[in-house]
Amino acid sequence: MKKITRILVTVLSLVGFITAYAEGTGVYRTAIVLKNGTQEIFPDTLVNQFKYTKSMVDGKTTYSLNVIQHGKMAMTIPIDSIEEINYREMTPYEHFAGDWYFVASPNGEPLPGTSIMVTSAVSMAYHAVLPAPGTPGYGHEIYCHIDSIAHRKGLKYDADFKLLYDYNEATGKGKVTMALDDQQPISTTQYFEEASTYAYWDATSTWYTGVSSQHAGGDSGNRYMYFVTHNLDTWALEGHQLECQWSVADLNDPDHEYSFPSIYEICWVVGLDIPFVYAEHDLVGYIDIFASPRLMHHPWVKPLSE
């Protein structure tokens, strides 16, 4: 109870700090370190206020911290899940936490009666948290979660992926890397859908291949989802690291697009095993193929033509 009281006192003091430091030269943020080993980052430029609420659940008093952004409650955090709250100037690393968009162009759909594929950019909201200070990934990794991957049939599937972070203070330049992982699925949910829900190959068929007769043991009964890409030398599907270079000036530009190499597409595929090994005929099919992948602070908007 004493620890919860200390956290509540910290919350109340932070509400005052946000106003006091509003005219500082840098961007300040509140970091909420959670007992699960991650931390949420809330810049003053987005957060209006922190409030805590008291409620009764099954006869027990509970407290929650509400994060107010743009006049609306953006997140509720149970007080007993908080390890620490601290407040200071935001680092470049912390810039990559919070709410972002993964923007890409899906495989598309054929125009009726033709084989002409039509596509456009989609913006998939994701939320990023950082490892807690002192944990192995702190300073190099960013954990990202998509609630709903863009799907041409409107199906809802979530995904977790990791960004790798690097920054050179001397040059003011860094890189953020999207790790496409063939060792672990992107979700605990498996993909048991009809062949028609896979990406189109042409106007009459899809990228669904089914279980290969060469797969050892036949159908494993599993349908794991992965983000992978093509090896440009062998055209095999495998894990890869997509790098994007950035500068401090980019961090200060809310419209900047953190673009990964356009020669690589992100293939959202279904495999039979963990890990996914293309050479062992794990592939069941491509749910979608995302081209021109990039990260943005807001949804992508088509530029106005002159």
Side-chain angles (χ1 to χ4, degrees), residues 34-49:
L34 302 174
K35 293 178 181 178
N36 66 5
T38 65
Q39 59 175 331
E40 298 278 359
I41 304 296
F42 299 103
D44 289 2
T45 51
L46 296 179
V47 176
N48 305 119
Q49 192 177 19

Side-chain angles (χ1 to χ4, degrees), residues 52-99:
Y52 76 93
T53 57
K54 174 181 176 181
S55 58
M56 297 291 293
V57 179
D58 297 328
K60 182 180 179 181
T61 302
T62 62
Y63 295 91
S64 296
L65 175 64
N66 296 326
V67 183
I68 312 300
Q69 292 183 191
H70 306 300
K72 298 180 180 180
M73 187 169 64
M75 187 180 297
T76 296
I77 304 173
I79 291 295
D80 59 7
S81 70
I82 298 174
E83 182 68 33
E84 175 189 321
I85 301 177
N86 60 73
Y87 184 79
R88 61 170 179 264
E89 193 166 0
M90 193 161 78
T91 66
Y93 176 49
E94 293 169 337
H95 167 88
F96 289 96
D99 294 323

